Amino acid sequence: MIYPTIQSERLWRSLMEMAEIGQTSGGGVCRLALTDEDLAARELFVKWCEDARLTIRVDELGNIFARRAGSDLYAPPVMTGSHLDTQPLGGRFDGVYGVLAGLEVARTLNDAKIETTHPIDVVVWTNEEGSRFPAGCMGSAVFAGQRDLDVMLNLTDADGYSVKDELKRIGFDGPEKCGNVSIKALYEAHIEQGPILENASKTIGVVMSAQGLRCFWVHVSGIEGHAGTLPMDKRRDAFQGAARMAVAIDNLANTFVPHPVITIGVVNVGPGSRSTIPGTTSFMIDCRCPDEQGLNELEDEIKIICKGIAKTRGLEINIEMISKITPITFNKDCINSIRNAAEKRKLEHQDISSGAGHDACHVSFIAPVGMIFIPCEHGISHNETEYASPSDITAGAQVLFDVVVGAAKLE
Ligand SMILES: [Zn+2]
């Protein structure tokens, strides 16, 4: 059977309408988790789902599940979705694309009066971005048993408001338990958030894996001194040591195989006075790589580099691991079904590894999961200028439709 085609104009209109909620002056979106803007977005999504005759359930962490019933009441659902929250200066497509592409799957099935065996759940995960409450992929991670529910409910934002109280305030503290659901498969469509597909002129990224992460604090201590009186060869300048470590780590990132990405985005220099030689410098290393063995080797190399430089410059060093995320390999059958769907629709595609973390990565611990990427202009994301073209939006949603309906089985 040839599957019906999705309505690209309807999907684009829905995306643009949703982007009006929390719209910023620079053309982006600010819709932090569990704010009034998030509430408005959730309400609009729920309204659209009800119009499409989907049944809404909300769990105790505010995850929303909009179900299109299947013919088999006992069959596990095929899930698809993403998140509606954004970064403080986020774009119109990150997350919301996956949610509304999922809704478009249900709308298209309705139009074609097609029944599936398995139910289809369009899901909105709570607080994926982690920008207001500092735990990214909160809803999906608790759902998949990767984070603790009570710890998350008690997490507070910078103003002291807790997840629990904010869920209650916006009326999304649902009755359903979070997690413990059996799932046939989950597919998430998302913009790539990087430049690879655009540079290769491909429309569909078949996501094979998501890279793992190691994050460290490096604390370097030397000896403070007067900036005017202490000769250069008598100094134990913590910042100068840290700076050399940063350069050596950057060189490592450029030569290591498989290619990692390493970022030093936080540097604290103490005491922080122009006329005092820095006695302490702490910096944070964010190191990501698609393979666990690679991450282990990078961790060892980074430690050797930093300790070696500290030693030659007479500095003390302490390296503290902050977080560790294992690389994810997505389900082979899900990967194949995405690739086959792209082939059948004659869409240019390539295999790709996800540089960012996504809700689907967490769900992959408890269910077969696949991800579909589409290009975003200049690889820009988490930015007001984030853009994906209507034709790529359509292509990704069509592949999503084909794989979700394939998994949910036609009657
Ligand atoms: Zn996202």
Side-chain angles (χ1 to χ4, degrees), residues 300-356:
D300 292 345
E301 286 284 330
I302 287 170
K303 285 180 177 165
I304 290 167
I305 286 170
C306 293
K307 284 178 182 166
I309 290 171
K311 196 172 175 204
T312 53
R313 301 185 70 86
L315 302 164
E316 298 289 319
I317 188 168
N318 174 24
I319 301 175
E320 180 193 350
M321 167 87 78
I322 302 168
S323 67
K324 196 170 173 172
I325 296 172
T326 310
I328 304 287
T329 307
F330 287 116
N331 178 273
K332 276 206 183 68
D333 294 337
C334 294
I335 289 172
N336 287 336
S337 66
I338 293 168
R339 200 184 285 124
N340 292 340
E343 288 279 332
K344 271 196 185 150
R345 296 279 177 183
K346 300 195 169 30
L347 296 165
E348 292 286 327
H349 61 87
Q350 77 166 57
D351 294 351
I352 190 168
S353 176
S354 175

Side-chain angles (χ1 to χ4, degrees), residues 30 230 278 348 361 384:
C30 175
L230 205 62
E348 292 286 327
C361 301
E384 291 172 287

Side-chain angles (χ1 to χ4, degrees), residues 173-234:
D173 52 339
E176 199 159 299
K177 285 262 155 253
C178 183
N180 248 333
V181 175
S182 118
I183 302 166
K184 169 93 189 296
L186 175 138
Y187 290 99
E188 180 172 353
H190 207 283
I191 57 168
E192 182 204 328
Q193 305 185 279
I196 295 169
L197 294 173
E198 185 184 63
N199 289 346
S201 301
K202 305 284 184 190
T203 310
I204 298 293
V206 182
V207 188
M208 309 296 289
S209 56
Q211 59 189 351
L213 168 143
R214 300 279 161 91
C215 189
F216 315 94
W217 266 121
V218 179
H219 305 286
V220 183
S221 19
I223 297 175
E224 285 170 25
H226 193 294
T229 58
L230 205 62
M232 296 306 283
D233 62 344
K234 296 283 180 293

Side-chain angles (χ1 to χ4, degrees), residues 68-79:
R68 187 175 190 274
S71 60
D72 180 348
L73 291 177
Y74 301 101
V78 176
M79 279 190 180

Side-chain angles (χ1 to χ4, degrees), residues 82-83 85 94-95 128-129 188 190 193 357-359 382:
S82 191
H83 57 98
D85 68 323
D94 173 6
E128 191 273 347
E129 296 292 357
E188 180 172 353
H190 207 283
Q193 305 185 279
H358 294 288
D359 291 310
H382 284 188

